[in-house]
Amino acid sequence: MSVPMPQHAYVDGQYMAIRDATVPIEDRGLQFADSIYEVCAVLNGRLLDWPAHLQRMRRNLSALFIPLSHSDAALGQIARRLIAGSRATDGLLYIQVSRGSARRDHGFPGVVHPRLMMTMRRFDFHQRAGQQARGVSVMSIPDQRWGRVDIKTTNLLANVLAKQDARAAGHFEAWFVAEDGTVREGGSTNAWIVRGGTLHTHPLSAHILPGIARDSLIRLARAAQIPVVEAPFSLDDAKGADEALLTSTTAPLLPVVSIDGQPVGNGTPGPVAARLASLVADEIHRQTGWRSR
Ligand code: PDD
């Protein structure tokens, strides 16, 4: 008896295997990056911080005037069916909504039929444990992105090139630095430093993505009496900090132990990062029942 193919993709109302999923050549996401996206963690078959992802997605859709008609309940139903259909318990749910297909013309089409796409891919969150123990390195790079990176669009070329440069140089992440020396965020993560026991991260603005993991860490830290300051810090501040770290859906909390080849603190993960990592792990467990091996 043949085993049915896992169905880990959804496009325009249909479920299918990823290898069978396609979009039309005139999809505006493809031609203009005229689309928004979300990446959500699935742990133990459960979505982490799902309401926060939905809320951010709605904000992004309205910022780009993309009229998605699906309700939150409908989106949740599609996501859950995909997770079940993928037969993976740990993975990344990817959601993209484009302004649909139209004859190529920069202005919006007269009638817009947004295209909703989702995929569910297996992802090994356990691999992060080793990185958490050792820490990771980052390199700085000038921020050459457009001026509204707070909207989570698929306009990611500057992030792609930055990440590639970082990886080619043997680093985990690139940190985008503004002309005035301010560290904004990473290619796909938010950036943090610790000074005198206080956590610092860039304030919410048009220059950073309001990360779900960022928001969650601020809440968890404050609840544990660890002070958090949302204020700009410079690359020199970061290099001279006691500790540094990064957060994202795919890397909930990783200590940064070197920047541009210079050790941060003593060049090993510090006590504040360890404490925060355990708060994050407890929160993940509370929501999903998942624990790192
Ligand atoms: N990236 N900053 C940028 C530029 C990002 O692309 C991301 C997420 C973050 C962290 O956001 P969150 O905590 O909501 O994951 C910060 C996703 C994971 C990606 O593009 O793969």
Side-chain angles (χ1 to χ4, degrees):
M1 208 175 74
S2 71
V3 178
M5 278 294 296
Q7 296 193 317
H8 34 40
Y10 170 96
V11 188
D12 285 338
Q14 305 292 318
Y15 295 86
M16 63 208 85
I18 283 190
R19 67 172 187 208
D20 296 328
T22 56
V23 294
I25 198 162
E26 289 190 312
D27 182 90
R28 289 178 61 95
L30 183 62
Q31 293 190 326
F32 296 114
D34 190 0
S35 58
I36 59 97
Y37 76 107
E38 282 295 321
V39 181
C40 312
V42 177
L43 296 139
N44 250 350
R46 302 207 182 98
L47 283 155
L48 184 71
D49 295 325
W50 176 242
H53 283 282
L54 275 181
Q55 205 179 53
R56 183 172 67 185
M57 189 168 104
R58 296 279 177 210
R59 248 194 348 258
N60 294 329
L61 288 167
S62 48
L64 298 194
F65 312 101
I66 295 178
L68 184 72
S69 58
H70 296 67
S71 65
D72 287 358
L75 293 169
Q77 229 165 26
I78 297 167
R80 288 186 180 92
R81 182 161 159 193
L82 262 195
I83 293 167
S86 75
R87 300 194 219 115
T89 53
D90 294 353
L92 295 172
L93 179 81
Y94 176 78
I95 309 174
Q96 185 176 338
V97 184
S98 78
R99 203 182 307 279
S101 302
R103 178 193 293 251
R104 189 178 182 281
D105 178 48
H106 289 66
F108 297 175
V111 181
V112 174
H113 297 288
R115 173 163 289 116
L116 172 63
M117 306 159 244
M118 286 195 210
T119 58
M120 166 67 186
R121 280 281 196 192
R122 227 173 264 280
F123 185 79
D124 179 16
F125 288 94
H126 295 289
Q127 67 175 310
R128 296 292 183 224
Q131 290 167 328
Q132 211 164 62
R134 290 186 302 273
V136 297
S137 68
V138 304
M139 65 178 248
S140 62
I141 201 157
D143 193 354
Q144 295 182 325
R145 301 172 299 165
W146 76 312
R148 286 303 307 276
V149 299
D150 57 316
I151 312 171
K152 197 166 171 64
T153 76
T154 57
N155 175 2
L156 290 173
L157 190 53
N159 307 59
V160 165
L161 296 176
K163 195 74 134 194
Q164 186 55 33
D165 275 357
R167 285 194 184 153
H171 302 296
F172 180 84
E173 181 60 297
W175 273 8
F176 288 121
V177 178
E179 275 183 20
D180 69 359
T182 301
V183 174
R184 286 179 168 159
E185 62 178 337
S188 63
T189 56
N190 286 111
W192 308 73
I193 59 170
V194 180
R195 276 192 310 202
T198 297
L199 258 178
H200 298 251
T201 195
H202 195 288
L204 293 183
S205 78
H207 300 306
I208 68 158
L209 185 81
I212 306 295
R214 174 189 180 280
D215 196 49
S216 178
L217 186 63
I218 290 174
R219 263 184 296 108
L220 293 171
R222 288 192 175 141
Q225 320 299 329
I226 299 170
V228 183
V229 174
E230 294 179 73
F233 59 86
S234 70
L235 187 58
D236 286 340
D237 292 337
K239 288 177 180 170
D242 303 327
E243 298 182 40
L245 44 127
L246 55 82
T247 57
S248 77
T249 296
T250 52
L253 191 144
L254 291 179
V256 170
V257 293
S258 93
I259 302 173
D260 293 336
Q262 282 177 237
V264 177
N266 66 4
T268 60
V272 178
R275 171 112 169 81
L276 293 169
S278 103
L279 294 173
V280 168
D282 287 348
E283 174 60 15
I284 289 173
H285 183 259
R286 189 185 67 79
Q287 284 191 42
T288 67
W290 189 92
R291 278 253 181 242
S292 185
R293 286 195 284 264

